[in-house]
Amino acid sequence: MASQPLTEAALRGLRESLTGEAVTADDAGYDEARSIFNAMIDRRPTVIVLCESAGDVAAAIRFAREHELELAVRGGGHSVAGLAATDGGLVVDLRRMHAVTVDPDARTARVGGGATMSHLDRATQPYDLATTGGRASTTGIGGFTLGGGSGWLERKFGLACDNLLAVDLVTADGTEVHASDDEHPELFWALHGGGGNFGAATSMTLKLHPLPDMSVAFLFFPAARGAEVLPVYREVLGSAPDEAGGGFVYLTGPPEDFMPEHLVGRAVCLVLITYTGTEPELRTATKPLFGLGHEAEVVTELPYADLQCMIDDPPGLRNYWSAEYLRDLPDEAVDVFCARANSMIVPSNSQHILFPMGGAMARGDARYPLPWRTAEWVAHPFGIWDSPADDARGRQWVRDARTDVMPWSIGQVYLNFIGDEGEERVVAGFGAENYRRLADVKARYDPDNVFRLNHNIKPS
């Protein structure tokens, strides 16, 4: 949408209606405020509203509509497609609304719409409580949870949205709505996977679980051994208890003290094991993986909040991701997955990942529009590089990695793992029947599709 000229009087009126701030290109903080995680996206909003309350969010939405400005909502800003930014429109920036209030007796947390994983995890850690977060500390809780929410704890505690108890959001007409099983129940159903299609979430209430112990193991092998190691990982995780999770990952060997010099900067494969228990329990549950002759390791107990920070990717890099959810992982799929690692950009921050599914995630509430939760594995090519000169190569690698495993795909996909891949993929994220029902909810709460910078559900 083209930039809409705003008069000084209009901007002054917006600023007077806020407890937060409205930032434009004339302000010193504009470039910092508009920058997002994916450096491939460079958009220039007309105005960025740094909200401090639900009232600010409502005022910003009404202002955008009055002045015909395209609306984007920013929580963590981690959307790979850059959906937290807009050219010429208005950004509802929630980052100042990051408070987390923990009720340890009720085992719940009330989380501001701009909170990140780190805000939540650091608040719950002193009580030895946690809920399923993502796999990086800087991811925003709002978009993550309302999109479904896949993370390290999902096999034990279910998806993030399985732990969603209530949502406060501001809808397209500026109305503040509380959604739960008892209030606006159809909207609450839609918020279990439907993302930001229905409003701007200003707070969420999440169920917490006891987590007194957390352990992790990183076992590194030369990349050439991947096709030998992955079948063992497949068998071990296929029969492991719900406490065990993690991933099988190709990546560039990091320049760390534990990494042999001959693997630094070279392609390696990583057996990553997370465990909601002690280190001895982790070792017992996954014992065969420790007998394969890895060349480097990190095995430790640590607070879950620290685990969340261990493999953060820095902002400012170029990102392109996708995913395929797989019904099974036969030997042929193992071979093509491992072979594709040869065309990953190395060295880079890219990762060629298989995540195990199952456990509490697979047993979660089948009512919700998340048909992909029944898959057994996820192939997730996670392209991250530094130079624009690698854009074409990086994108092609991600697309080829998807194509390789298509024979085993269930056809549905977790939309938080992908960029803009077209309407058919959005429908595939929910399933056709769920999509029709979601479109009905969209028509009720956002008939004009004001909230369209997302994996968009068109109102019916």
Side-chain angles (χ1 to χ4, degrees):
M1 179 179 290
S3 177
Q4 300 293 316
L6 292 177
T7 66
E8 285 299 321
L11 282 170
R12 184 168 59 252
L14 172 63
R15 287 177 167 128
E16 290 173 352
S17 72
L18 302 170
T19 54
E21 296 180 63
V23 176
T24 68
D26 296 329
D27 296 311
Y30 176 77
D31 283 332
E32 185 282 327
R34 73 182 180 89
S35 66
I36 55 176
F37 182 78
N38 187 356
M40 294 178 79
I41 312 297
D42 183 22
R43 295 181 180 147
R44 299 185 65 83
T46 295
V47 60
I48 303 166
V49 179
L50 306 176
C51 300
E52 295 185 359
S53 66
D56 283 356
V57 175
I61 291 170
R62 288 192 292 265
F63 184 87
R65 298 202 68 179
E66 178 184 352
H67 294 275
E68 299 182 345
L69 295 169
E70 182 176 63
L71 187 71
V73 179
R74 176 177 183 153
H78 264 246
S79 161
V80 67
L83 298 174
T86 169
D87 266 327
L90 182 147
V91 176
V92 176
D93 189 324
L94 303 173
R95 283 179 290 175
R96 293 185 178 183
M97 299 171 62
H98 58 71
V100 178
T101 304
V102 178
D103 184 335
D105 296 323
R107 292 180 181 168
T108 62
R110 183 177 171 87
V111 183
T116 64
M117 297 298 161
S118 184
H119 292 123
L120 174 61
D121 297 335
R122 295 298 175 189
T124 61
Q125 190 70 58
Y127 305 102
D128 287 337
L129 295 171
T131 196
T132 300
R135 296 176 174 91
S137 68
T138 53
T139 302
I141 295 288
F144 168 79
T145 302
L146 302 185
S150 170
W152 299 128
L153 302 182
E154 63 195 5
R155 281 172 50 93
K156 181 64 175 177
F157 301 138
L159 297 168
C161 73
D162 293 332
N163 296 285
L164 184 64
L165 301 175
V167 182
D168 293 306
L169 74 164
V170 181
T171 59
D173 61 0
T175 301
E176 296 179 36
V177 171
H178 180 79
S180 67
D181 280 331
D182 299 321
E183 300 178 63
H184 299 272
E186 189 70 357
L187 173 61
F188 190 57
W189 169 85
L191 293 170
H192 287 72
N197 271 282
F198 312 101
T202 56
S203 73
M204 291 149 287
T205 303
L206 300 170
K207 185 197 315 183
L208 303 177
H209 304 266
L211 187 63
D213 300 295
M214 188 76 207
S215 304
V216 65
F218 297 83
L219 309 179
F220 293 91
F221 302 81
R225 293 195 59 200
E228 167 197 348
V229 174
L230 179 51
V232 182
Y233 184 83
R234 175 188 62 192
E235 299 308 314
V236 170
L237 268 293
S239 59
D242 292 355
E243 286 78 4
F248 183 89
V249 188
Y250 285 94
L251 72 162
T252 299
E256 302 288 351
D257 291 342
F258 60 78
M259 185 64 61
E261 186 175 348
H262 70 280
L263 295 181
V264 173
R266 307 285 295 275
V268 300
C269 68
L270 164 66
V271 166
L272 170 57
I273 307 162
T274 59
Y275 200 88
T276 56
T278 65
E279 180 185 330
E281 290 169 336
L282 179 155
R283 290 181 179 271
T284 298
T286 60
K287 184 177 180 180
L289 295 171
F290 286 83
L292 297 175
H294 54 276
E295 296 196 21
E297 71 170 45
V298 176
V299 187
T300 187
E301 292 182 25
L302 76 174
Y304 170 65
D306 291 349
L307 168 63
Q308 288 284 69
C309 301
M310 287 187 75
I311 54 175
D312 280 356
D313 283 304
L317 298 178
R318 306 177 77 77
N319 286 251
Y320 189 81
W321 325 326
S322 193
E324 286 295 329
Y325 279 67
L326 312 180
R327 62 178 180 271
D328 55 7
L329 191 69
D331 290 343
E332 185 181 358
V334 167
D335 290 342
V336 299
F337 176 83
C338 293
R340 184 53 59 190
N342 294 327
S343 55
M344 184 176 73
I345 297 174
V346 176
S348 76
N349 287 61
S350 297
Q351 300 174 26
H352 190 36
I353 311 171
L354 275 171
F355 290 127
M357 299 279 282
M361 172 175 42
R363 298 190 299 270
D365 196 328
R367 294 177 301 161
Y368 297 137
L370 303 164
W372 46 267
R373 70 157 83 228
T374 61
E376 292 192 6
W377 293 90
V378 188
H380 185 28
F382 194 72
I384 311 177
W385 56 89
D386 182 58
S387 172
D390 286 326
D391 284 356
R393 177 185 169 197
R395 287 193 183 104
Q396 191 60 50
W397 168 69
V398 170
R399 293 166 183 154
D400 289 344
R402 270 194 66 204
T403 300
D404 289 343
V405 297
M406 206 72 78
W408 303 279
S409 174
I410 65 171
Q412 289 111 12
V413 64
Y414 171 44
L415 296 174
N416 282 358
F417 270 179
I418 72 172
D420 183 0
E421 297 182 5
E423 185 177 357
E424 287 187 8
R425 283 282 269 176
V426 174
V427 175
F430 304 116
E433 184 176 345
N434 285 326
Y435 184 87
R436 287 190 290 269
R437 183 176 169 188
L438 289 163
D440 289 341
V441 180
K442 177 77 168 180
R444 179 176 174 186
Y445 290 92
D446 184 15
D448 298 321
N449 205 10
V450 172
F451 296 100
R452 58 182 173 271
L453 287 184
N454 43 48
H455 290 293
N456 194 230
I457 299 164
K458 293 181 171 59
S460 59

